Amino acid sequence: MSFKNILENWSAFRKDAEAGGHHKYDHRWGMAINLDVCTGCNACSTACYAENNLPVVGKERFEKGQAMHWMRIERFWDDADKQYPERGASYLPMMCQQCGAATCEPVCPVAATYHTPDGLNAQVYNRCIGSRYCSNNCPFRVRYFNFYSYYETWAEPLNQQLNPDISVRDKGVMEKCTFCVQRIRTANDKAKMENRSIADGEVQTACAQACPTGAIVFGDTMDPNSAVSKLWAKHEVKRGDYLSKKPKQHPEKRGYRIFEELNVDPSVMYLERVREEI
Amino acid sequence: MFYKHVCKLVLPPVLMFVSMLLMSGAPARAELAAPPGVTPPVGTYAGADVAQPIEFPHDIHVNVNKINCMYCHTYARRSKVAGIPPTSKCMGCHKMIATDKPRIQKLTEYFEKRESPKWKKVHDVPDFVHFSHERHVKKFVFDADLPVENVEQVCGLCHGEIKAMTVAKKNKPLTMGFCQRCHEANGGPGDCWKCHK
């Protein structure tokens, strides 16, 4: 291996990363987000706050970069948008991409973040010591650090709506989108109690459930018959293999994964927004 | 003189040794048998007494009346928590049975006031631990074809010998090591995010 090769594709050293690396996967949860129908309404973000016990930090802390939103709507103005501002911005819901070869995992000094057998990038709060290496190594900037003990100052009636299926985090730990793991585990338990495997559509993340336009599709990308797998296949997006990727030929095939060139193998596919050229 | 010394110095250690031998040979109480094919989790814990509003006698209900654990803790096979029975379930029997006993009279008082006794939780794991009773009951009882009347063996893996107690006391550590060693021995999941999330 030449040094050039290492620089170009250091991730090739990972053990069969495309096939799952050290993991034998039961499921690989994934998402498809259709940006064409996303209106940027923030319902997904709000649902995430309600589902995952996220604190509302307020304007001052937000400006300091201490926001705790696991899911944020990013706004973009490309050149055409600037020319025709009445068309509005482009929106992109951004959450943890649950990378197959996550950059946050190898840098954790205490292995508080690791890969689960169902393809999720887990964060174990009790093991986390708050070194924040993971956040600094995340190319998507989707890891959020608890700078304060929000559970102590949770506004009075709202503490009654905390979700008991997920921990309320204390200060000093990192947290991020979990693909609503509590829902996945509940569905998994239910399926196992009935001696079957999880059916497609049985698990819905809070954001997918709340999206008024149905832009977010969640499911198992290992199951070829799931809605999300069909979307991935339709738009010719597949895991790994980024070097042999050809430029998109067909305008109908709008699928892409963010920072695919970093070869972190994200589990979220975005469908490009279609805009008429004026 | 010599006899006195023997009594003072030699006899007590000898007696202690003999009694230790006897005790190790025949323990005071036979341990609850583990269900067949299950490696029981290792560890004991000396839990403090928990003051309950009514001293519910588990020993009488299990040993004398032979009531199954899941008759009262009916949610164990259906949900994450085993559940405390509603007072109406107690009254289903105790309208007629043992109505002269002070504990039952206290219970009847609660029932007539339409209040439930404020039972204190004995086996409590922290909020960041998600333990599911139904999955464990299914694995060790229904999938293992264990006769349901022997379910106390499965409950006893984590709760100890409740039938030897009046008010339940915590006598297993219920720590992560305790859980994890049992998971390793019996093929449970080893994924952090199964229990912590």
Side-chain angles (χ1 to χ4, degrees):
Chain A
M1 285 279 172
S2 66
F3 184 61
K4 184 167 169 280
N5 202 347
I6 294 172
L7 283 183
E8 276 174 0
N9 190 12
W10 63 271
S11 50
F13 289 102
R14 298 167 308 179
K15 180 176 171 286
D16 305 326
E18 278 68 42
H22 298 275
H23 301 279
K24 195 179 170 300
Y25 286 114
D26 314 325
H27 303 280
R28 288 190 86 169
W29 301 105
M31 238 182 218
I33 302 182
N34 190 348
L35 298 182
D36 201 27
V37 296
C38 174
T39 61
C41 70
N42 269 303
C44 50
S45 184
T46 311
C48 186
Y49 268 84
E51 172 75 18
N52 292 308
N53 302 341
L54 298 184
V56 179
V57 298
K59 193 182 169 197
E60 277 173 23
R61 287 177 183 176
F62 190 99
E63 282 170 350
K64 279 192 217 163
Q66 297 173 349
M68 298 301 297
H69 47 212
W70 285 3
M71 185 162 202
R72 59 175 191 254
I73 304 288
E74 293 191 342
R75 295 172 299 175
F76 298 98
W77 279 271
D78 52 30
D79 290 343
D81 290 335
K82 281 176 191 153
Q83 206 176 343
Y84 305 102
E86 66 275 13
R87 296 206 308 194
S90 301
Y91 299 104
L92 186 135
M94 174 53 96
M95 80 299 267
C96 175
Q97 308 284 307
Q98 312 286 349
C99 307
T103 49
C104 50
E105 286 166 12
V107 295
C108 180
V110 291
T113 178
Y114 75 102
H115 224 63
T116 67
D118 44 0
L120 296 174
N121 180 249
Q123 176 73 21
V124 184
Y125 307 121
N126 293 78
R127 200 181 267 179
C128 180
I129 56 168
S131 72
R132 290 181 270 160
Y133 287 146
C134 54
S135 170
N136 287 320
N137 213 31
C138 173
F140 304 96
R141 282 287 176 270
V142 286
R143 289 177 154 266
Y144 301 96
F145 186 70
N146 281 282
F147 285 93
Y148 303 95
S149 294
Y150 285 104
Y151 72 93
E152 287 171 352
T153 53
W154 215 280
E156 191 43 65
L158 293 178
N159 56 2
Q160 300 291 328
Q161 63 101 49
L162 288 174
N163 188 351
D165 291 335
I166 187 163
S167 319
V168 179
R169 282 79 54 184
D170 200 349
K171 74 175 165 191
V173 299
M174 192 58 79
E175 60 183 61
K176 63 164 196 78
C177 164
T178 61
F179 267 3
C180 284
V181 66
Q182 67 278 15
R183 294 184 176 206
I184 296 174
R185 292 290 181 261
T186 308
N188 202 28
D189 279 358
K190 188 164 173 273
K192 277 189 175 168
M193 289 302 286
E194 293 165 11
N195 293 323
R196 59 180 174 84
S197 53
I198 294 188
D200 183 39
E202 206 177 335
V203 194
Q204 239 190 344
T205 57
C207 50
Q209 190 182 4
C211 182
T213 57
I216 303 175
V217 179
F218 179 77
D220 186 0
T221 53
M222 257 172 81
D223 170 14
N225 296 318
S226 68
V228 67
S229 287
K230 283 178 183 163
L231 270 173
W232 280 49
K234 187 183 164 197
H235 293 278
E236 288 178 3
V237 173
K238 58 176 191 262
R239 290 184 181 277
D241 199 23
Y242 84 108
L243 288 175
S244 60
K245 201 169 163 287
K246 293 175 198 74
K248 290 262 157 39
Q249 304 292 334
H250 200 278
E252 288 289 301
K253 305 217 185 322
R254 302 180 282 125
Y256 70 97
R257 295 189 292 172
I258 295 176
F259 290 154
E260 198 153 20
E261 66 276 15
L262 297 179
N263 199 11
V264 288
D265 195 15
S267 298
V268 182
M269 177 190 74
Y270 289 90
L271 299 179
E272 230 169 282
R273 193 168 186 186
V274 183
R275 288 228 147 149
E276 274 178 46
E277 292 305 319
I278 307 169
Chain B
M1 190 68 186
F2 174 73
Y3 179 72
K4 206 174 169 186
H5 272 286
V6 166
C7 283
K8 246 183 164 174
L9 297 170
V10 184
L11 254 185
V14 167
L15 274 177
M16 258 174 75
F17 183 68
V18 168
S19 61
M20 269 166 73
L21 263 184
L22 278 173
M23 274 169 76
S24 62
R29 203 173 56 231
E31 267 290 302
L32 195 63
V38 176
T39 317
V42 187
T44 50
Y45 180 84
D49 286 320
V50 183
Q52 300 286 5
I54 301 171
E55 289 166 346
F56 176 84
H58 281 92
D59 45 359
I60 297 174
H61 287 83
V62 181
N63 291 332
V64 182
N65 304 317
K66 309 278 180 215
I67 297 173
N68 192 288
C69 306
M70 290 202 295
Y71 178 75
C72 300
H73 299 291
T74 173
Y75 309 108
R77 60 182 181 274
R78 300 186 209 140
S79 79
K80 278 170 89 170
V81 291
I84 299 282
T87 321
S88 57
K89 189 157 211 165
C90 310
M91 292 307 289
C93 296
H94 283 298
K95 226 164 209 166
M96 314 299 276
I97 299 169
T99 46
D100 54 328
K101 302 274 171 66
R103 286 171 187 160
I104 304 302
Q105 282 160 358
K106 210 169 168 187
L107 176 79
T108 316
E109 243 172 69
Y110 273 112
F111 184 66
E112 279 166 359
K113 277 193 286 181
R114 298 194 162 270
E115 276 176 21
S116 41
K118 300 275 183 291
W119 301 111
K120 302 227 174 62
K121 207 164 179 188
V122 177
H123 294 89
D124 199 8
V125 288
D127 287 349
F128 50 82
V129 181
H130 297 273
F131 175 87
S132 167
H133 275 87
E134 61 172 353
R135 295 285 307 129
H136 288 83
V137 171
K138 182 170 159 61
K139 178 181 163 67
F140 290 118
V141 183
F142 299 118
D143 286 357
D145 286 329
L146 187 82
V148 176
E149 59 266 30
N150 293 348
V151 74
E152 61 172 20
Q153 295 176 352
V154 172
C155 306
L157 293 175
C158 304
H159 294 292
E161 206 175 0
I162 294 285
K163 68 177 174 185
M165 302 173 205
T166 305
V167 176
K169 249 201 286 187
K170 186 174 160 186
N171 60 1
K172 299 274 179 178
L174 305 186
T175 53
M176 189 168 134
F178 177 82
C179 297
Q180 183 58 29
R181 279 193 292 276
C182 186
H183 273 222
E184 275 165 19
N186 297 302
D191 184 17
C192 309
W193 252 10
K194 276 279 184 224
C195 312
H196 304 296
K197 47 191 185 266

